[in-house]
Amino acid sequence: MSLCPRRLAARQRCPHMKIAQVSPLFESVPPVTYGGTERVVSYLTEELVRQGHEVSLFATADSVTSAHLVPALGTSLRKGTAVPSASSWLSCHVIELGMVADLADTFDVIHFHTDYLHFCMARQLPTPHLTTLHGRLDLPELQPLYRYFNDLPLVSISNSQRAPLSWANWRATVHHGLPIDLYGFEPEADDYFLFVGRISPEKRADRAIEIAIRIGLPLYIAAKVDPADQVYFTSYIEPLLDHPLVHFIGEIREGEKHSLLSRAKALLFPIDWPEPFGLVMIEALACGTPVIAYPHGSVPEVLEHGVTGYIVSNQEDAVAAARQVERLDRRDCRAAFEQRFTAAHMTQAYLKLYERMRDEPRINGHAARHPEARLTAGQPQAPSPR
Amino acid sequence: MSLCPRRLAARQRCPHMKIAQVSPLFESVPPVTYGGTERVVSYLTEELVRQGHEVSLFATADSVTSAHLVPALGTSLRKGTAVPSASSWLSCHVIELGMVADLADTFDVIHFHTDYLHFCMARQLPTPHLTTLHGRLDLPELQPLYRYFNDLPLVSISNSQRAPLSWANWRATVHHGLPIDLYGFEPEADDYFLFVGRISPEKRADRAIEIAIRIGLPLYIAAKVDPADQVYFTSYIEPLLDHPLVHFIGEIREGEKHSLLSRAKALLFPIDWPEPFGLVMIEALACGTPVIAYPHGSVPEVLEHGVTGYIVSNQEDAVAAARQVERLDRRDCRAAFEQRFTAAHMTQAYLKLYERMRDEPRINGHAARHPEARLTAGQPQAPSPR
């Protein structure tokens, strides 16, 4: 039940840790365009390296990193094809996890960002590990899964994200962070609003359009349309794009996003779903741009109503907020970003967890686990079907 | 590199083995209707138990077995919903594999029938294991997967199935087998042909219809239509069903299949894809019913042209074969089944493999592996994208 001598010695010899970051393979790390998870993995990885840790990044071969890159796939899935098939998606992630398992004993801690695919092998890993869940957790089939693996240590990216699995083995909420100098502060705004994200029913670009038109100011929409959302786009959003105030500019690169974000009067974030984090909100804050958002998911954790933006519950309030958004001090937005949402903050929080994981008592190389999590031979429990 | 004392002692104490059978969760074991893999798992499991082995079957809770059932999911995926979502499909198999990993050290050998999902954890298992691949292997994304995991022991269900991955770590081909008394021999046939299977482009029910109509004898089509094939069915097959000789009877149960198969003049199997095995061919032979088949996939391994059926390359030959199929002696079909395709044959072949796996030298609890299969830290190889 005590720290094994090898680990103890390693720890005394060197305060720096050997850390594996395991990224999804949908996009390169960092992604060229859209791709929240891979971008956060990149920020965390680079900051860990900057602080002197020895980081191995499991990611696509076209990733760019100062860590040691372990290439699990030649080209990112989305680059290879717009819609990766279930089989090609699965097979490359199985390879990646096999690589992680093969190298596991060379790390002090393994940090998975690959959803739950690795759960089947996680208890057998000889190394402390941690999983950050980046997606929504309100799918019914996740209940039996997380109940069965209720000993695996998890990190949420907002407190609200946990709600459907509030009883799971959460070790912390770690909000996303951006490199402090990634987006520069811009004290002056131009007279337009901005919508950034995917075009999908839960992002409600239609609400953003309505708000801008009612105010009478231009709206720029920087958004990608996934093939899955093409019908929604054609049926519901495209007809709204004819208005002279509405400018649809499609998917954009980081640099373009910065210019657009930094000169916007406000970012409109009128979502209609439990957004797990919403990276674009802190990107806006980093520029000094306030955010007008609906109160779903992480929004109340990220924004301070009346300081860094307005949290509104209907279109009337949204229009009123947009009309008076100049009252907010853009310096307060930037300050909130620097105080809470930098990559250094995020990295500090993860490092604290890594150290705690590394130092936890382990049995036979595995973390001490809840007794009920271990299936007793002869008395298995069938999870409910869904 | 030698047999570990615990295993050696276990082996000397008891000639019977502790075997885990890991089934997919799409259907119960055995399935109520269609479901080749789960059916073969059932036959193998029951025969192993009959021979006195201690078998744990990882399968859905609605499975029926004389083995020790480890229920990994309440109800089979296809029973719960016609088209399981990718997420519900994945999550329940991850639970199942987690259960296998948790109990792994209680078995002498683990036999996976779950495609490749478990590969990521397979090298770390403390127990010898074997994977029977039940599906087609000609998808391009499988190449890097099987190259990376080229040390994992595999079993093919026909030699032809191996072709796209001929270089993989094949330990044997084990043809499927049926319980010897499952289907009784029927010396007399009625005047009709039969098509059994799925309605899908590669099964070519249209060819079977053409053959029967040209001969002027009735064709019974006992086939399910997967939702994925509904458009194909409506566009290409349904219009052909109007003919008075064609009788479409949908998906059927085992009992109904037996009556239909045993009285058929011949089973028509005019496939247009690399069929990995084609269970229905040996079901026909068990009844004494010859098979008229196109020469793809396993067909030339299963049938003996001019003895248990005819292997044809075009519709002209197929019609000619169907016209003269009465020349074949139905007793020869049954004899071929009894000599090559019983569950006892299949089980014997697997037991030989289990024993070989159990007795192979192992390093640190893992099977001695090809040195190139192990990723060397710092010199990883990126598999090609696809």
Side-chain angles (χ1 to χ4, degrees), chain A residues 209 212-213 217-221 240-248:
Chain A
I209 292 169
I213 291 176
L217 282 180
L219 174 74
Y220 287 88
I221 301 178
L240 307 176
L241 301 181
D242 274 346
H243 195 283
L245 287 174
V246 179
H247 306 279
F248 183 79

Side-chain angles (χ1 to χ4, degrees), chain B residues 79-106:
Chain B
K79 202 168 176 184
T81 161
V83 195
S85 72
S87 172
S88 66
W89 168 81
L90 191 61
S91 62
C92 68
H93 283 93
V94 168
I95 293 178
E96 179 182 39
L97 295 179
M99 290 176 166
V100 173
D102 281 345
L103 296 173
D105 57 7
T106 66

Side-chain angles (χ1 to χ4, degrees), chain B residues 45-184:
Chain B
T45 298
E46 299 310 308
E47 179 63 20
L48 287 167
V49 172
R50 206 189 60 75
Q51 294 189 20
H53 297 283
E54 201 176 307
V55 186
S56 292
L57 173 64
F58 293 78
T60 61
D62 52 357
S63 294
V64 178
T65 181
S66 54
H68 167 63
L69 179 65
V70 186
L73 181 67
T75 319
S76 69
L77 279 167
R78 290 226 182 90
K79 202 168 176 184
T81 161
V83 195
S85 72
S87 172
S88 66
W89 168 81
L90 191 61
S91 62
C92 68
H93 283 93
V94 168
I95 293 178
E96 179 182 39
L97 295 179
M99 290 176 166
V100 173
D102 281 345
L103 296 173
D105 57 7
T106 66
F107 306 118
D108 294 318
V109 68
I110 301 172
H111 189 169
F112 290 101
H113 302 267
T114 43
D115 215 11
Y116 61 74
L117 190 55
H118 57 285
F119 283 9
C120 59
M121 69 179 208
R123 286 182 185 145
Q124 278 65 42
L125 287 174
T127 309
H129 55 84
L130 195 65
T131 300
T132 293
L133 294 166
H134 289 261
R136 66 193 293 178
L137 302 174
D138 55 346
L139 306 172
E141 62 265 25
L142 298 184
Q143 296 283 331
L145 180 87
Y146 285 86
R147 282 210 192 281
Y148 184 72
F149 295 106
N150 67 2
D151 55 317
L152 301 184
L154 306 176
V155 171
S156 47
I157 58 175
S158 65
N159 293 328
S160 80
Q161 183 201 22
R162 298 182 180 188
L165 305 170
S166 56
W167 39 263
N169 187 18
W170 299 108
R171 295 301 179 94
T173 286
V174 179
H175 288 140
H176 289 337
L178 311 177
I180 194 160
D181 50 3
L182 185 69
Y183 289 169

Side-chain angles (χ1 to χ4, degrees), chain B residues 318-340:
Chain B
V319 171
R323 226 184 279 281
Q324 67 176 47
V325 74
E326 272 165 0
R327 291 191 201 165
L328 302 179
D329 190 333
R330 294 177 67 94
R331 284 169 302 184
D332 288 344
C333 296
R334 175 71 193 184
F337 162 73
E338 288 184 7
Q339 278 154 32
R340 298 178 58 207

Side-chain angles (χ1 to χ4, degrees), chain A residues 58 61 68-77 80-81 85-103 105-106 116-121 123-126 139 141-142 144-146 148-149 369 373-386, chain B residues 58 61 68-77 80-81 85-103 105-106 116-121 123-126 139 141-142 144-146 148-149 369 373-386:
Chain A
F58 293 78
H68 167 64
L69 180 64
V70 185
L73 181 67
T75 319
S76 68
L77 280 167
T81 164
S85 71
S87 172
S88 65
W89 166 84
L90 191 62
S91 63
C92 68
H93 283 93
V94 168
I95 293 178
E96 179 181 40
L97 296 180
M99 291 176 164
V100 173
D102 281 346
L103 296 172
D105 57 7
T106 67
Y116 61 75
L117 190 54
H118 57 286
F119 283 9
C120 59
M121 68 180 209
R123 287 183 185 145
Q124 279 64 44
L125 287 174
L139 306 172
E141 62 266 26
L142 298 184
L145 181 86
Y146 285 86
Y148 184 72
F149 295 106
R369 57 175 73 122
R374 165 104 189 162
L375 190 76
T376 13
Q379 297 168 321
Q381 298 289 318
S384 325
R386 57 212 60 246
Chain B
F58 293 78
H68 167 63
L69 179 65
V70 186
L73 181 67
T75 319
S76 69
L77 279 167
T81 161
S85 72
S87 172
S88 66
W89 168 81
L90 191 61
S91 62
C92 68
H93 283 93
V94 168
I95 293 178
E96 179 182 39
L97 295 179
M99 290 176 166
V100 173
D102 281 345
L103 296 173
D105 57 7
T106 66
Y116 61 74
L117 190 55
H118 57 285
F119 283 9
C120 59
M121 69 179 208
R123 286 182 185 145
Q124 278 65 42
L125 287 174
L139 306 172
E141 62 265 25
L142 298 184
L145 180 87
Y146 285 86
Y148 184 72
F149 295 106
R369 57 174 75 124
R374 162 104 190 164
L375 190 78
T376 14
Q379 296 167 322
Q381 298 291 317
S384 325
R386 60 210 56 247

